[in-house]
Amino acid sequence: MSTTAPHDRRARVPADHSTGEVPSMSDRFSAALYRRRTTVLWVSALALVLAALGGLGVENRLAHGGFSDPHAESSRAGRLVSEHFPTTDGDLILLLSGAGPVDSPTTASLGTDLTRRAERAAGVRAAGSYWTAGRPSALRSRDGSMGLVSLSLSGDEHAQAKTAERLVPELRRHARGLTVMAAGPAQVQTEVGKQTAHDLLLAEAIAMPITLVLLLLIFGSAVAAALPLVIALLSVLVSRAVLNALAGVVSISVYSMNSTTALGLGLGIDYSLFMLSRFREELRGGATVREALGPTVRRAGRTVAFSGLTVALSLVALLVFPQYFLRSFAYGGIVVVLSAAAGAVFVLPALLAVLGHRVDRYDVFARLRGPARRATSGTAAPVSPENGRWYRFAMAVMRRPLLYGGGAVIVLVVLASPFTRVSSGLFDDRSLPVDSQVHRATRLLRERFDRDVLRTVPVVVEGVGQSGRQALEPYARALSEVRDVRQVSAAPGAYAAGRQVRGPGAAGAALVDGDTALFSVVSAVEQDSSAGTRLVDRLRKVAPPEGSTVSVGGRAAEVRDSTSAIARATPAAIGIVVGSSLVLLFLFTGSVLMPVKALVLNTFSLSATFGAMVFVFQEGHLSPLVGSPTHTGTLDATIPILTFCVAFGLSMDYEVFLLSRIRERYLRTGDNRESVAFGLQHTGRIITAAALLVAVVLFVFAVSGVTLLKLLGVGLALAVVLDATLVRALLVPSFMRLAGRANWWAPGPLRRLHNRVGLREDADG
């Protein structure tokens, strides 16, 4: 088949201007985009409008919570307590204080009236307070100025948060001289929802102007700078619409909105940068607009599509976890990644076909640039790669690969070392700003009330018949002999260290409902600590009464069960991420060593990220740099695995971009060193710029008032920066220089397999 001249109006598919090669499928695809560019843009505009409409109200459909394993023993214990003993279930806790002491007639009357009003409210299953429960000392502050109201709410975490959001303001309006402060899990989730919505708006307000300025500086054109934002906006709106639809079928965490926005902005910019840079490079090489679209779609477009698939498969790993908090990131992330890749491959080429050379118009910072900078930003003739800074830098690194590569490894190992001291916990009120109402209320609970209120571990025994009730007493005695147990409330009394300390019928006696009994185990250690989780393990080892089933609940049990569930699912998640990356990179490169190299180097950068997260957020060092989050001594158990999946996908993003240009050059020249330098010269500036922009978008979440979002944003931003600097600029050239031609080796059977099913690049570039 002969190629038709590029300027022949009858040509349906223009030949590659540089090689005269036979048009490929991607060439025909780019030609079709060129011919139908107006249609593509109208369809895209319609999709944008429909996505915007489809995403309306998504914030109101997202769920709160999702950090615990719904199938765990602690979750079962919580459901049993809520079902059989609702008066002990403090989903919402109110701290009431008046003009006088809680025992004064006026305060007591007002507290009783408010308790009765709360008990009658919709969504409340049961209510008890200091004034209605016989004035137990545990519900009265030590100074006598405050009393507690404990409410059990109906429904799941989301329903309880909605009840708290409606009920607390209503009770405050009817408090009549009482000051009402709210604490408890439902109120924490309510304030988290408000804070995350506020943080999302703030992050967008900060990130968008900074991103636009950086794009203007990078591209030297207002037109080019606007295009990545268009693709990012499209991906974010599409993902919001999909999340809105999914929220009617499965539980979607409220946090997914923040992550979806960050990933949509970051990846939309990433993919657009790569496509735009290749298009402008072809124009600078003398190609017409139609000719430039061919290599742009064939090479950059294929790389973007492959990268998007790699990132999406990394996020698929989050679906193996039982917590819907983690699964929500998979739902939103997969959609936004595929939307960003589709926008870059379909919509952006159509926009470029319409704009043509006008993509370089309106350099608002032209006066700030020197002639050399204007040449690299505009459409001036390209500089020889050998004269490029990234080319010279890569050659310098490859002259001393052990020095540069070894130095980078040492830095990463030092950064990773704090991760050996990681201590896992779960999200609680301390993740909110110190000036939030629920944070202040919970601090008062810890400081002014009997600590037993926060140190009680519920132990639920099922299958207790009339004949089995006599076995409750020896079981309670056995529980009381467990180390770090101060007291166990049980029928017919209470026990401490095996001794009965209160008689039958005393306050604190065990509750029995049918064949279900509840023991209240008062711990000598904090539940939000490693000692608390060890106590749960010891309690679960106590032999239950014969013929019955025991469920240990409470905060410490929830932490233990959630971390255990994450630990059980992590091998499968890692297997999905590693396995899919190995297969896809092999299909992309035809090499056995390149996929293994990518995994090893990603492990170094991710370990360094985890170590830095422990150093700053768990141990409290350098915390003012990230907004001084509350120091709890633990790291949320969900964040390392979430960071692993997202950051691994982002790092593979840059790996694919760099390897595509290196392999493209290597197939043409067969020179390993020159190909690495050429690839870094053509992608180093793009990867650095993309990493800078993504890091800005992610690091903006450091302004979040929720420590969880702050931790995730800063952690991912650090991972991106480390990957784009130490890994791509130093470790990759060093490794590939030492490996030499072995970089592209594969055994015969795998080489033949790649020839049949792999992604092939033509030897030009």
Side-chain angles (χ1 to χ4, degrees), residues 95-161:
L95 290 76
L96 306 185
S97 58
V102 293
D103 290 315
S104 68
T106 301
T107 303
S109 175
L110 293 174
T112 301
D113 290 344
L114 200 67
T115 304
R116 300 305 183 199
R117 176 177 289 275
E119 192 174 29
R120 295 191 299 269
V124 177
R125 300 182 70 245
S129 70
Y130 172 72
W131 302 277
T132 63
R135 304 196 177 190
S137 60
L139 301 182
R140 175 182 179 273
S141 65
R142 286 188 290 272
D143 62 2
S145 63
M146 287 184 288
L148 297 184
V149 179
S150 179
L151 305 179
S152 176
L153 307 181
S154 304
D156 57 14
E157 290 174 298
H158 181 63
Q160 292 173 2

Side-chain angles (χ1 to χ4, degrees), residues 120 129 143-144 161 208 212 261 344 438 572 584 670 706-707:
R120 295 191 299 269
S129 70
D143 62 2
M208 293 299 284
L212 181 57
T261 300
V438 72
L584 289 175
V706 181
T707 301

Side-chain angles (χ1 to χ4, degrees), residues 687-764:
I687 290 175
T688 303
L692 174 62
L693 290 163
V694 173
V696 166
V697 171
L698 292 169
F699 196 79
V700 162
F701 283 97
V703 305
S704 173
V706 181
T707 301
L708 194 70
L709 288 177
K710 192 187 297 284
L711 171 60
L712 182 61
V714 173
L716 289 175
L718 180 60
V720 167
V721 170
L722 289 175
D723 188 81
T725 53
L726 294 181
V727 175
R728 300 299 147 219
L730 296 177
L731 285 178
V732 169
S734 298
F735 181 95
M736 295 190 73
R737 171 67 180 89
L738 293 172
R741 296 183 66 85
N743 285 312
W744 311 105
W745 175 84
L750 288 180
R751 187 167 59 251
R752 289 189 291 273
L753 176 65
H754 181 265
N755 290 336
R756 289 197 300 270
V757 301
L759 298 176
R760 302 290 302 271
E761 291 280 2
D762 298 302
D764 69 337

